[in-house]
């Protein structure tokens, strides 16, 4: 029972970290703002722009968003593959040769499709008028 509880807490922690990833990015930015402005900001040599590290924050948020988008796309692709695999695995086509005797062939001859010339002749026949 104790092992199940540890696994449950571990999975809960993983889910919590994933859900709180964006707030962690903001928290990291606020805690290290001075360091980011001085060392990591793209516009650190242009103080008149008053970027104050927002470029770095935007990059980090974009990375997180792209990661989420990639994961969602992968999930959708995996789901699509799984569904198509389940559908087409159930559909199995088996073609068995039909063994018929000559008597059965003679009996079933009227079920054969007409030849091309008979078919065309039936299509091109003029209409019959009944008075």
């Amino acid at each position: 029972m104790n092992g199940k509880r540890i696994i449950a807490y571990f999975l809960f922690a993983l889910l919590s970290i994933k859900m709180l990833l964006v707030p962690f990015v903001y928290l990291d930015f606020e805690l290290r703002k001075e360091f980011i402005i001085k060392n990591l900001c793209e516009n650190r040599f242009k103080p008149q722009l008053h970027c104050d590290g927002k470029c770095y924050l935007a990059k980090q948020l974009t990375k997180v968003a792209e990661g989420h988008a990639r994961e969602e796309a992968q999930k959708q692709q995996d789901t699509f593959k799984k569904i198509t695999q389940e559908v087409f695995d159930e559909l199995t086509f088996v073609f068995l040769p039909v063994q018929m005797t000559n008597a059965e062939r003679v009996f079933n001859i009227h079920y054969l499709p007409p030849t091309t010339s008979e078919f065309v002749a039936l299509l091109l026949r003029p209409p019959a008028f009944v008075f």
Side-chain angles (χ1 to χ4, degrees), residues 49-114:
L49 293 177
H50 300 289
C51 177
D52 297 330
K54 292 176 188 163
C55 57
Y56 175 80
L57 177 63
K59 279 185 177 181
Q60 294 301 318
L61 292 174
T62 304
K63 284 182 187 178
V64 171
E66 287 174 355
H68 285 307
R70 251 185 273 116
E71 288 176 7
E72 286 300 319
Q74 186 65 33
K75 283 181 188 177
Q76 289 178 353
Q77 187 178 19
D78 291 344
T79 303
F80 179 73
K81 283 181 182 177
K82 186 177 179 182
I83 289 171
T84 55
Q85 186 177 12
E86 288 176 4
V87 168
F88 288 112
D89 281 350
E90 290 178 8
L91 295 176
T92 52
F93 299 102
V94 178
F95 296 103
L96 298 174
V98 178
Q99 301 294 328
M100 294 191 332
T101 63
N102 285 337
E104 289 174 330
R105 285 189 192 126
V106 170
F107 181 70
N108 291 328
I109 198 151
H110 61 278
Y111 290 113
L112 296 175

